[in-house]
Amino acid sequence: MKKRLIALLLLLTCLLLFACTQEKNHEPTTDATAYTDLPTEPPTEAEGTETASSVEEITSSAEETTGETEEPTETSAVALYQLAPEKNSLMQSYVIKTQNGKLIVIDGGIDGEGRDRAPYMPAALRAIAGIGEGEYFEVEAWFLSHAHKDHMYELSKMMAEYSEDSNYKINNIYFDFPNFGSEEYPAANADMDFSKLQENMNKYGEIIGAEIKDGSTYYDDLNGAFINADAVAEGLSLEIDGIKIDVLQTWSPEDGTSNLNDTSLVIRIWVGEQSVLFLNDLGSIGGRRLLKTYGDALKSDIVQMAHHGQAGVNKDVYDAIDADVHLWPTPIWVWNNANKTYQIDEVREWLYGETFLEASEYDIVSCLYRNYPGGSTKVKVWDRAIAGMKIEFPYIVPERPMQPPKEEATDKPETIVPVEHDYVKEGLVAYYSGTRSMRDGHNKDSAEWEDLVGGYDMKITKNGDNYFTDEGLKAYNAKHMFPDAIVDTINGDSFTVELLLGDFISIGSNFNTFINSSQDQIALFRRNSEDVLELKTTGNGRIKIKGCLELLQNSLITVTYSQSGYARIYVNGELRGELSTVAGSLGAGDLFIGHSDPSKTFDTTYRSIRFYDRALAAEEVMANALVDGVVEMADEE
């Protein structure tokens, strides 16, 4: 009996050993066995993988694994996003997602419809990062170009509502703003929410426990710490996950203090061999400094159009950049320009020789996307729209059709016509004669008004209502733009402009605008409801002259201006109004006579126009009025 029991136990042992041997020769067949091949810790997002959100996803991933070691994670394409919550808001915001998922932000603002909404950027950034509602993310670098709210207000709002539960972090903030209200930069713009940004940034610094110098603030420690005027010459360069970032220009006191747009950072990023130049809101003055510093080295593959595509840098800057692709952070009402208020039609014509209204592979326009999230703070809403705001690198576009050759820059004419009358000569920069529209005589069919002194010829918007007569330029309902040299003259330390008008008929419902710049850095106009002639200049008050309708008939209007001196208006040689001025350039981006807005039109003839690069004295103004015949020489006893 005992022997039989021992034999039975040996038989059972053999059977068990055989079964175990057979089990080792089979692949795992159950989900429970599959878990043994998972890594002990999930890969982080920085390694370019997504965290699974359910047991089913983990199981599916594990079942697809055929080896004991995990395959290396592939990096994704670098992408640039031109954000737009809706098509109506004037704002700018760009996000770059690197190959390993790091986020770089340039600006982030909204104006108009989204002014008082909750910030949309956290939802947009989570959608770009590919994560869900409330999940943690980091911004590796956030650049602020300048202190206008349509560029920095989103960051300010994010910091205002930031708490320990916000579940995101901004690792580096780069900006260089002037010390507003200081002797170096006394001026400030009315549409800045600058104090709110300071307050909210300091609050954010406290919450994250930032180290702050004694007696300083988080804002002060950041401002210009990495990006400053010295870095322009040195060429500050950063690299973030393979993205090279070059700071080409920051603000400079030499640009004056009247136009905050000219304090914009100019940044160029490199993704491999392709470059993207961000001009932000740079104006004509900052643009001229940029061109002088870099010249043809500005050449870039992609350019962000300055100041939303209008009244930014001048044509010669875009010619030097010579980009294949243009980014337009532009609202629909500026893009369409129905009232011809903005310079955007002219800027579009600079690019291809003709204006256009459609987006393409060459022109990516933020107000022409198919889908918008409407400023939503929900990630799933941004998920549906974000793909249409994205370009991936390398960005390959078809070869553009042959463009007409660019106009070669022409030098001043060799022969300048002597001024035929005995006007004041010293400081005379330009003279446009109504009876001699060309240097070789008077051509009533001309589309140019040639300058008889400096060779600074101006283009005329010639049509059935705007044309030359025997007396001068008949102006009714169009703008006529002066060349850059004249813009430079009025942006100088001092200037004089004289307008000799013929019969005058008021037409516009609100104003009659005689001479103006697109951003109103200078405006000479009649306020129709009060019959008041007004002069408005950047940073100053206004000169107002009552009862001007009769004064404007066949009259000479003279405006003299000196920085830190006086602005004055003379009518027919007689001083009619003055005010003291503040230091700084006017910062005008352009200059024109006439207006296309129906509320600002009039009917008159510009019989002559003169510009001086100094403020004429009262006796000189009277001397020119005598030559023009608007006053008579007093009889001597």
Side-chain angles (χ1 to χ4, degrees):
M1 184 68 178
K2 186 175 181 180
K3 290 181 178 179
R4 288 181 180 177
L5 182 59
I6 293 172
L8 180 61
L9 290 172
L10 289 172
L11 178 62
L12 290 173
T13 300
C14 290
L15 290 172
L16 289 170
L17 289 171
F18 179 80
C20 290
T21 303
Q22 293 299 309
E23 180 73 11
K24 290 181 179 179
N25 292 330
H26 284 78
E27 291 293 328
T29 57
T30 65
D31 290 345
T33 309
Y35 284 115
T36 62
D37 289 335
L38 289 176
T40 56
E41 293 182 4
T44 64
E45 185 183 345
E47 294 169 334
T49 62
E50 296 183 359
T51 303
S53 59
S54 68
V55 172
E56 288 77 14
E57 289 179 24
I58 295 174
T59 304
S60 174
S61 175
E63 288 177 339
E64 293 172 3
T65 302
T66 58
E68 294 184 357
T69 59
E70 185 182 5
E71 292 293 327
T73 303
E74 293 184 5
T75 57
S76 60
V78 176
L80 170 66
Y81 297 81
Q82 179 176 253
L83 300 186
E86 73 271 309
K87 63 174 61 179
N88 290 315
S89 286
L90 180 70
M91 52 82 64
Q92 175 178 302
S93 183
Y94 291 95
V95 179
I96 301 149
K97 184 179 180 181
T98 71
Q99 59 183 352
N100 289 311
K102 293 185 182 295
L103 300 178
I104 303 167
V105 180
I106 299 174
D107 283 342
I110 191 165
D111 199 2
E113 293 188 7
R115 175 67 169 75
D116 298 317
R117 291 176 181 161
Y120 65 81
M121 281 295 285
L125 291 170
R126 286 187 171 101
I128 292 171
I131 60 177
E133 200 73 55
E135 291 190 52
Y136 180 77
F137 70 89
E138 293 184 4
V139 174
E140 188 62 29
W142 195 311
F143 293 86
L144 294 177
S145 65
H146 65 297
H148 275 147
K149 62 176 175 285
D150 60 314
H151 291 255
M152 56 80 175
Y153 203 64
E154 273 295 302
L155 178 61
S156 182
K157 288 195 290 186
M158 286 173 65
M159 290 176 166
E161 66 171 29
Y162 189 81
S163 70
E164 295 179 356
D165 299 326
S166 295
N167 214 25
Y168 64 82
K169 184 182 177 183
I170 304 169
N171 293 330
N172 296 285
I173 304 171
Y174 300 105
F175 64 98
D176 182 28
F177 294 170
N179 185 14
F180 299 111
S182 66
E183 182 178 352
E184 187 178 28
Y185 203 100
N189 282 20
D191 64 342
M192 288 170 50
D193 280 279
F194 171 66
S195 60
K196 290 183 181 179
L197 175 69
Q198 283 184 309
E199 177 185 340
N200 297 336
M201 193 172 285
N202 291 336
K203 173 190 171 185
Y204 174 77
E206 292 178 7
I207 294 174
I208 66 172
E211 294 185 8
I212 302 171
K213 298 174 185 175
D214 290 341
S216 185
T217 67
Y218 186 56
Y219 169 89
D220 290 333
D221 283 358
L222 290 178
N223 188 19
F226 298 97
I227 300 171
N228 50 57
D230 293 335
V232 176
E234 297 172 5
L236 177 67
S237 184
L238 307 171
E239 186 168 330
I240 300 174
D241 195 20
I243 305 296
K244 185 183 178 187
I245 304 170
D246 294 327
V247 178
L248 302 189
Q249 183 165 292
T250 67
W251 79 278
S252 171
E254 72 180 73
D255 293 338
T257 62
S258 60
N259 186 6
L260 190 64
N261 287 336
D262 280 314
T263 68
S264 292
L265 290 179
V266 179
I267 302 169
R268 180 158 55 192
I269 71 166
W270 290 88
V271 184
E273 297 298 319
Q274 283 191 306
S275 56
V276 186
L277 184 64
F278 294 91
L279 295 170
N280 298 303
D281 271 6
L282 197 67
S284 62
I285 295 176
R288 283 192 281 275
R289 179 162 63 95
L290 183 72
L291 183 62
K292 181 179 179 181
T293 303
Y294 296 98
D296 291 340
L298 289 173
K299 174 72 177 87
S300 302
D301 298 298
I302 302 173
V303 65
Q304 169 253 316
M305 303 300 289
H307 196 231
H308 312 279
Q310 71 89 34
V313 301
N314 294 328
K315 181 179 182 295
D316 53 1
V317 178
Y318 288 118
D319 287 344
I321 297 169
D322 192 25
D324 297 319
V325 180
H326 311 98
L327 304 176
W328 300 81
T330 309
I332 192 68
W333 42 275
V334 173
W335 182 257
N336 289 338
N337 198 19
N339 291 327
K340 304 302 178 186
T341 305
Y342 307 104
Q343 195 192 5
I344 193 165
D345 293 339
E346 182 182 3
V347 174
R348 286 188 289 232
E349 193 168 349
W350 290 348
L351 303 179
Y352 307 123
E354 60 181 359
T355 189
F356 58 94
L357 287 173
E358 295 183 358
S360 68
E361 301 97 328
Y362 318 109
D363 295 278
I364 300 168
V365 186
S366 66
C367 63
L368 299 181
Y369 296 149
R370 291 185 178 181
N371 297 304
Y372 296 91
S376 173
T377 60
K378 300 296 183 183
V379 176
K380 63 181 181 180
V381 179
W382 275 93
D383 281 337
R384 291 194 289 266
I386 204 72
M389 304 178 185
K390 169 185 177 182
I391 62 174
E392 289 189 351
F393 291 89
Y395 185 65
I396 301 173
V397 295
E399 185 175 352
R400 200 159 57 208
M402 183 68 69
Q403 301 297 314
K406 295 179 180 178
E407 295 181 6
E408 296 293 332
T410 56
D411 296 327
K412 293 182 185 180
E414 294 181 3
T415 303
I416 302 299
V417 178
V419 178
E420 64 264 33
H421 299 302
D422 194 20
Y423 293 114
V424 173
K425 304 291 194 305
E426 184 182 350
L428 183 60
V429 172
Y431 171 45
Y432 303 94
S433 170
T435 57
R436 190 168 187 169
S437 61
M438 314 292 287
R439 278 177 285 277
D440 59 359
H442 191 54
N443 180 4
K444 292 191 290 184
D445 294 326
S446 177
E448 280 192 325
W449 199 351
E450 294 188 351
D451 167 26
L452 304 184
V453 172
Y456 303 123
D457 305 339
M458 63 184 296
K459 299 290 185 182
I460 300 302
T461 305
K462 189 173 180 295
N463 55 39
D465 296 316
N466 297 268
Y467 52 87
F468 283 106
T469 69
D470 290 333
E471 294 184 343
L473 176 64
K474 182 79 167 178
Y476 181 79
N477 58 0
K479 294 180 180 180
H480 310 281
M481 308 296 297
F482 289 102
D484 288 345
I486 302 303
V487 180
D488 290 342
T489 298
I490 68 162
N491 285 331
D493 292 335
S494 59
F495 69 87
T496 297
V497 56
E498 296 193 300
L499 308 174
L500 181 61
L501 304 179
D503 293 335
F504 174 78
I505 301 173
S506 175
I507 297 174
S509 56
N510 298 323
F511 307 102
N512 305 135
T513 302
F514 302 109
I515 193 165
N516 198 194
S517 59
S518 294
Q519 301 300 310
D520 273 356
Q521 287 91 350
I522 180 172
L524 179 67
F525 61 95
R526 174 176 175 259
R527 187 179 297 275
N528 298 348
S529 60
E530 302 173 21
D531 191 23
V532 171
L533 180 65
E534 294 188 26
L535 175 66
K536 171 185 174 182
T537 53
T538 302
N540 300 300
R542 302 188 183 207
I543 301 175
K544 298 184 178 183
I545 303 171
K546 295 181 179 180
C548 69
L549 186 58
E550 183 176 349
L551 281 176
L552 292 171
Q553 303 297 330
N554 295 287
S555 63
L556 174 67
I557 304 173
T558 303
V559 174
T560 66
Y561 183 92
S562 293
Q563 293 182 21
S564 300
Y566 287 90
R568 294 185 171 99
I569 295 181
Y570 299 81
V571 180
N572 295 333
E574 180 183 348
L575 179 63
R576 292 285 184 162
E578 69 177 11
L579 57 79
S580 59
T581 58
V582 299
S585 166
L586 291 184
D590 58 20
L591 189 70
F592 53 87
I593 54 173
H595 216 290
S596 55
D597 186 337
S599 68
K600 301 179 180 181
T601 57
F602 55 90
D603 188 348
T604 193
T605 298
Y606 285 87
R607 293 161 55 194
S608 74
I609 304 173
R610 295 182 293 273
F611 287 93
Y612 292 82
D613 61 7
R614 65 186 184 89
L616 296 184
E619 57 271 20
E620 293 175 311
V621 174
M622 178 57 74
N624 281 352
L626 289 167
V627 174
D628 279 329
V630 292
V631 293
E632 296 181 359
M633 181 74 71
D635 293 334
E636 295 184 3
E637 293 182 358

